[in-house]
Structure formats: structure tokens, C-alpha cells
């Protein structure tokens, strides 16, 4: 089984809908991250969490919210989706003991019409 | 703010040759720098990490150099194979305890048989 899983893998939705992307990990890492990837813009950090009680905004958090339900689970929500949130979304985990080498999930391709 | 520049143009090389990819950064020297491989539609996979006080790091056919004077890292794949075709990302990893990974947009490598 994959160490970092994301659901759904693909989602098409309409403007204004609320969407939740879920991430689970079996690596036992405390640190989890949400990124989005757009052509030509690279990976950009949305939110990150260092433990269950710690949630922090990244560089592009507007329009997004997160929930850290447990050490292993980190969810990303789009409260009211808009077309420019169409992107590839990745969850990642890391651990200080390995210099924050990041382990990425397979990604969720989200399309907002 | 810190920025990372990777050659956005695809790099085509002949099988068996050495591929060299460049990662330049503009501001402070990172504590360490990472390289990732990303295949289409998949999450990045960690390859190598090099610390600020290291000049060179090797792993099998991969070699990374780090020149803090030039603010540049070079990533080499020797004896390249078609299976090495992918996008390669560099990332500036923050000092231990902080969070903000900064990723380059990546360089697409194609190894021709």
C-alpha cells in the first residue's frame, strides 16, 4: 500500500461548490503539507501542519481551509470553488530526522467549471 | 523573497550522455537543497539532498553540486537512459524547524534512444 494516499484522484465540480480533498499517511510523520501545482508556476504551498494542534498558512491560503483530524489525516477544503482553483493538488509529509525530505501523494486533479 | 530558477525549456539528450540540469536561487543560501523527480501526473519523488557545507553528493548515476558563491546547484545524470526522462525539480529546504519549501518549476528531461 502507498505511504501517502489522496482521495479523490480526479474531481470535476462547479463554481460555488464546496469540495474536500483528503490525505492519509502511514509513514508516522508529524509534518504534513498541501500544495497545488500549475503549469509554469511549480509547486506552491497552501497550508502546512507540524502536528495535530498546529496549522499554518502557506503562501496561497486564500480560498482554502484545512483540518488535521489525526496525525495521519490532513484534509483540504475549498469552501466555494472557483475556476482558477483548477489545478493538481498534492499532499506531502516529512520528518525532521531526514532533513524534511518530503514524501508526496499521487495527487488530485481538480477541475472547477 | 527567495526565488528559484530552473531552465523551463526541455532538455533533450542522447542516451548514454551526461545530462546536466541547473538550479539557481536569488537570495539567501539555504541550509540544504533537494532534488526531486516527477513523472507526468504523479507526485514528486525525492532523489538527493545536499547541505550548504557540502560541495558534491553522489548516488549511483546521480551527482549534485552546490556552489553557494554562484548561488547554484547542478544536477547530473551520467550514462543517461530513456527511463530517466522526467521533470526534475529542485527545492530549497529551510533550516530545521521551519516550514517553507520553495520549489523550482522544474526542467523536463528527455533522453533519446
Amino acid at each position: 500500500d502507498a505511504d501517502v494516499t489522496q482521495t479523490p484522484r480526479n474531481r470535476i465540480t462547479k463554481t460555488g461548490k464546496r469540495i474536500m480533498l483528503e490525505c492519509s499517511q502511514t509513514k508516522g510523520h508529524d509534518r504534513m503539507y498541501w500544495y497545488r501545482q500549475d503549469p509554469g508556476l511549480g509547486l506552491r504551498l497552501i497550508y502546512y501542519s507540524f502536528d495535530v494542534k498546529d496549522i499554518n498558512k502557506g503562501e496561497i491560503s486564500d480560498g482554502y481551509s484545512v483540518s488535521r483530524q489525526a496525525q495521519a489525516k490532513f484534509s483540504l477544503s475549498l469552501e466555494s470553488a472557483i475556476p482558477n482553483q483548477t489545478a493538481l493538488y498534492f499532499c506531502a509529509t516529512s520528518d525532521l530526522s531526514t532533513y524534511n525530505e518530503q514524501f508526496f501523494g499521487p495527487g488530485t486533479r481538480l477541475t472547477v467549471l | 523573497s527567495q526565488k528559484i530558477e530552473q531552465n523551463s525549456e526541455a532538455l533533450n539528450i542522447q542516451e548514454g550522455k551526461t545530462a546536466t540540469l541547473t538550479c539557481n536561487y536569488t537570495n539567501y543560501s539555504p541550509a540544504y537543497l533537494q532534488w526531486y523527480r516527477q513523472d507526468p501526473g504523479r507526485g514528486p519523488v525525492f532523489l538527493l539532498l545536499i547541505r550548504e557545507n557540502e560541495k558534491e553528493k553522489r548516488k549511483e548515476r546521480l551527482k549534485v553540486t552546490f556552489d553557494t558563491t554562484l548561488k547554484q546547484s547542478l544536477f547530473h545524470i551520467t550514462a543517461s537512459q530513456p527511463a530517466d526522462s522526467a521533470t526534475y525539480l529542485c527545492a530549497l529546504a529551510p533550516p530545521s524547524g521551519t516550514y517553507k519549501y520553495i520549489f523550482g518549476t522544474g526542467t523536463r528531461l528527455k533522453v533519446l534512444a
Side-chain angles (χ1 to χ4, degrees):
Chain A
D1 288 343
D3 294 321
V4 183
T5 58
Q6 293 183 234
T7 56
R9 295 294 314 279
N10 290 282
R11 181 72 183 267
I12 300 174
T13 190
K14 294 182 179 180
T15 297
K17 294 291 187 181
R18 184 178 188 274
I19 296 295
M20 178 180 286
L21 309 183
E22 298 185 342
C23 176
S24 294
Q25 52 111 349
T26 58
K27 299 198 70 67
H29 290 167
D30 287 325
R31 298 184 168 202
M32 297 187 74
Y33 310 80
W34 275 104
Y35 292 90
R36 66 176 280 175
Q37 188 173 40
D38 301 273
L41 294 179
L43 282 161
R44 291 182 292 167
L45 184 63
I46 305 172
Y47 271 96
Y48 66 102
S49 170
F50 281 177
D51 62 43
V52 175
K53 297 181 181 180
D54 178 73
I55 302 288
N56 300 282
K57 293 182 177 180
E59 61 178 308
I60 54 163
S61 59
D62 286 349
Y64 302 95
S65 62
V66 291
S67 173
R68 185 82 183 265
Q69 301 93 325
Q71 185 203 39
K73 295 185 182 297
F74 193 33
S75 300
L76 176 72
S77 294
L78 287 67
E79 298 301 326
S80 180
I82 56 178
N84 77 0
Q85 292 178 312
T86 293
L88 191 54
Y89 289 84
F90 289 104
C91 173
T93 73
S94 74
D95 187 85
L96 269 179
S97 66
T98 55
Y99 296 94
N100 286 314
E101 166 192 342
Q102 294 197 75
F103 295 85
F104 285 83
T108 294
R109 186 168 296 280
L110 177 66
T111 302
V112 183
L113 302 176
Chain B
S1 62
Q2 184 71 283
K3 292 184 179 178
I4 296 181
E5 297 169 351
Q6 292 187 260
N7 192 340
S8 59
E9 296 180 7
L11 177 62
N12 293 337
I13 65 164
Q14 208 64 37
E15 182 176 10
K17 300 292 186 183
T18 296
T20 299
L21 285 66
T22 303
C23 174
N24 296 300
Y25 57 93
T26 59
N27 201 346
Y28 59 83
S29 280
Y32 41 93
L33 188 147
Q34 302 173 339
W35 283 88
Y36 290 80
R37 169 183 172 142
Q38 185 175 22
D39 292 288
R42 307 188 75 158
V45 175
F46 174 82
L47 296 174
L48 279 170
L49 174 148
I50 187 165
R51 298 186 188 85
E52 184 180 20
N53 60 354
E54 296 176 321
K55 296 291 186 186
E56 181 179 299
K57 203 76 169 285
R58 292 176 184 261
K59 179 183 177 182
E60 299 173 349
R61 294 185 296 111
L62 309 180
K63 183 177 82 171
V64 172
T65 62
F66 195 6
D67 188 327
T68 55
T69 301
L70 294 178
K71 297 188 175 181
Q72 180 181 81
S73 175
L74 299 179
F75 178 79
H76 306 272
I77 306 175
T78 58
S80 59
Q81 305 165 359
D84 295 325
S85 299
T87 296
Y88 292 86
L89 310 173
C90 69
L92 302 186
S96 176
T98 59
Y99 73 95
K100 192 171 182 180
Y101 290 87
I102 303 170
F103 282 83
T105 54
T107 297
R108 193 167 72 252
L109 173 67
K110 186 170 184 179
V111 181
L112 306 171

